[in-house]
mmCIF file of all heavy atoms in Angstrom:
data_model
loop_
_atom_site.group_PDB
_atom_site.id
_atom_site.type_symbol
_atom_site.label_atom_id
_atom_site.label_comp_id
_atom_site.label_asym_id
_atom_site.label_seq_id
_atom_site.Cartn_x
_atom_site.Cartn_y
_atom_site.Cartn_z
ATOM 1 N N SER A 252 -13.524 24.246 -1.583
ATOM 2 C CA SER A 252 -14.711 23.407 -1.668
ATOM 3 C C SER A 252 -15.941 24.182 -1.222
ATOM 4 O O SER A 252 -16.979 24.166 -1.871
ATOM 5 C CB SER A 252 -14.542 22.180 -0.782
ATOM 6 O OG SER A 252 -15.759 21.490 -0.721
ATOM 7 N N ALA A 253 -15.796 24.878 -0.101
ATOM 8 C CA ALA A 253 -16.946 25.596 0.454
ATOM 9 C C ALA A 253 -17.400 26.710 -0.483
ATOM 10 O O ALA A 253 -18.596 26.861 -0.752
ATOM 11 C CB ALA A 253 -16.580 26.166 1.820
ATOM 12 N N GLY A 255 -18.392 28.040 -3.555
ATOM 13 C CA GLY A 255 -18.790 27.460 -4.840
ATOM 14 C C GLY A 255 -19.915 28.271 -5.453
ATOM 15 O O GLY A 255 -20.142 29.432 -5.084
ATOM 16 N N LEU A 256 -20.629 27.635 -6.360
ATOM 17 C CA LEU A 256 -21.736 28.331 -7.016
ATOM 18 C C LEU A 256 -22.738 28.842 -5.992
ATOM 19 O O LEU A 256 -23.332 29.903 -6.160
ATOM 20 C CB LEU A 256 -22.433 27.386 -7.987
ATOM 21 C CG LEU A 256 -21.544 26.856 -9.107
ATOM 22 C CD1 LEU A 256 -22.277 25.811 -9.924
ATOM 23 C CD2 LEU A 256 -21.096 28.001 -10.002
ATOM 24 N N GLY A 257 -22.912 28.074 -4.917
ATOM 25 C CA GLY A 257 -23.873 28.443 -3.882
ATOM 26 C C GLY A 257 -23.600 29.823 -3.305
ATOM 27 O O GLY A 257 -24.531 30.561 -2.978
ATOM 28 N N ASN A 258 -22.332 30.173 -3.173
ATOM 29 C CA ASN A 258 -21.998 31.471 -2.600
ATOM 30 C C ASN A 258 -22.373 32.599 -3.537
ATOM 31 O O ASN A 258 -22.704 33.688 -3.117
ATOM 32 C CB ASN A 258 -20.492 31.591 -2.347
ATOM 33 C CG ASN A 258 -20.003 30.576 -1.360
ATOM 34 O OD1 ASN A 258 -20.225 29.391 -1.539
ATOM 35 N ND2 ASN A 258 -19.356 31.018 -0.316
ATOM 36 N N ILE A 329 -24.049 14.273 -7.267
ATOM 37 C CA ILE A 329 -23.795 15.711 -7.402
ATOM 38 C C ILE A 329 -22.743 15.969 -8.481
ATOM 39 O O ILE A 329 -22.889 16.864 -9.312
ATOM 40 C CB ILE A 329 -23.364 16.312 -6.056
ATOM 41 C CG1 ILE A 329 -24.534 16.239 -5.080
ATOM 42 C CG2 ILE A 329 -22.893 17.745 -6.233
ATOM 43 C CD1 ILE A 329 -24.207 16.713 -3.695
ATOM 44 N N TYR A 333 -23.107 18.771 -11.306
ATOM 45 C CA TYR A 333 -22.382 20.011 -10.977
ATOM 46 C C TYR A 333 -21.371 20.329 -12.086
ATOM 47 O O TYR A 333 -21.168 21.470 -12.460
ATOM 48 C CB TYR A 333 -21.695 19.824 -9.629
ATOM 49 C CG TYR A 333 -21.350 21.088 -8.870
ATOM 50 C CD1 TYR A 333 -22.298 21.744 -8.089
ATOM 51 C CD2 TYR A 333 -20.069 21.622 -8.903
ATOM 52 C CE1 TYR A 333 -21.982 22.880 -7.358
ATOM 53 C CE2 TYR A 333 -19.746 22.752 -8.166
ATOM 54 C CZ TYR A 333 -20.703 23.373 -7.401
ATOM 55 O OH TYR A 333 -20.386 24.495 -6.681
ATOM 56 N N PHE A 477 -25.228 23.706 2.691
ATOM 57 C CA PHE A 477 -24.801 23.620 1.307
ATOM 58 C C PHE A 477 -23.517 24.403 1.107
ATOM 59 O O PHE A 477 -22.562 23.944 0.489
ATOM 60 C CB PHE A 477 -25.896 24.154 0.396
ATOM 61 C CG PHE A 477 -25.594 23.932 -1.049
ATOM 62 C CD1 PHE A 477 -25.779 22.677 -1.608
ATOM 63 C CD2 PHE A 477 -25.110 24.960 -1.833
ATOM 64 C CE1 PHE A 477 -25.477 22.451 -2.937
ATOM 65 C CE2 PHE A 477 -24.812 24.748 -3.167
ATOM 66 C CZ PHE A 477 -25.000 23.496 -3.723
ATOM 67 N N SER A 478 -23.511 25.598 1.685
ATOM 68 C CA SER A 478 -22.418 26.502 1.426
ATOM 69 C C SER A 478 -21.100 26.010 2.030
ATOM 70 O O SER A 478 -20.040 26.161 1.430
ATOM 71 C CB SER A 478 -22.776 27.876 1.974
ATOM 72 O OG SER A 478 -21.777 28.777 1.669
ATOM 73 N N SER A 480 -20.261 22.996 2.459
ATOM 74 C CA SER A 480 -19.973 21.631 2.003
ATOM 75 C C SER A 480 -19.935 20.643 3.167
ATOM 76 O O SER A 480 -19.082 19.756 3.205
ATOM 77 C CB SER A 480 -18.631 21.521 1.276
ATOM 78 O OG SER A 480 -18.509 22.391 0.212
ATOM 79 N N ILE A 485 -17.112 15.614 2.312
ATOM 80 C CA ILE A 485 -15.971 16.276 1.664
ATOM 81 C C ILE A 485 -14.943 16.671 2.721
ATOM 82 O O ILE A 485 -13.740 16.432 2.575
ATOM 83 C CB ILE A 485 -16.428 17.542 0.919
ATOM 84 C CG1 ILE A 485 -17.325 17.178 -0.255
ATOM 85 C CG2 ILE A 485 -15.243 18.357 0.468
ATOM 86 C CD1 ILE A 485 -17.897 18.374 -0.994
ATOM 87 N N SER A 580 -14.867 23.410 -6.135
ATOM 88 C CA SER A 580 -15.863 22.616 -5.401
ATOM 89 C C SER A 580 -16.032 21.256 -6.066
ATOM 90 O O SER A 580 -16.174 20.229 -5.405
ATOM 91 C CB SER A 580 -17.215 23.322 -5.364
ATOM 92 O OG SER A 580 -17.109 24.535 -4.673
ATOM 93 N N SER A 583 -13.405 18.813 -5.137
ATOM 94 C CA SER A 583 -13.543 18.284 -3.772
ATOM 95 C C SER A 583 -14.587 17.184 -3.717
ATOM 96 O O SER A 583 -14.430 16.195 -2.999
ATOM 97 C CB SER A 583 -13.894 19.403 -2.790
ATOM 98 O OG SER A 583 -15.232 19.836 -2.967
ATOM 99 N N VAL A 584 -15.640 17.348 -4.487
ATOM 100 C CA VAL A 584 -16.720 16.369 -4.401
ATOM 101 C C VAL A 584 -16.289 15.062 -5.084
ATOM 102 O O VAL A 584 -16.646 13.964 -4.653
ATOM 103 C CB VAL A 584 -18.026 17.001 -4.937
ATOM 104 C CG1 VAL A 584 -18.126 16.964 -6.417
ATOM 105 C CG2 VAL A 584 -19.245 16.381 -4.339
HETATM 106 N N1 LIG B 1211 -20.170 24.593 -1.067
HETATM 107 C C1 LIG B 1211 -20.521 24.409 -2.413
HETATM 108 C C2 LIG B 1211 -21.179 25.628 -2.995
HETATM 109 O O1 LIG B 1211 -21.401 26.589 -2.306
HETATM 110 C C3 LIG B 1211 -21.433 23.258 -2.494
HETATM 111 C C4 LIG B 1211 -20.874 22.137 -3.223
HETATM 112 C C5 LIG B 1211 -19.633 21.639 -2.950
HETATM 113 C C6 LIG B 1211 -21.589 21.592 -4.193
HETATM 114 C C7 LIG B 1211 -19.132 20.634 -3.669
HETATM 115 C C8 LIG B 1211 -21.089 20.580 -4.918
HETATM 116 C C9 LIG B 1211 -19.857 20.126 -4.671
HETATM 117 O O2 LIG B 1211 -21.470 25.650 -4.172
#
Side-chain angles (χ1 to χ4, degrees):
S252 171
L256 299 174
N258 298 54
I329 294 176
Y333 202 83
F477 187 78
S478 183
S480 305
I485 294 176
S580 297
S583 72
V584 82

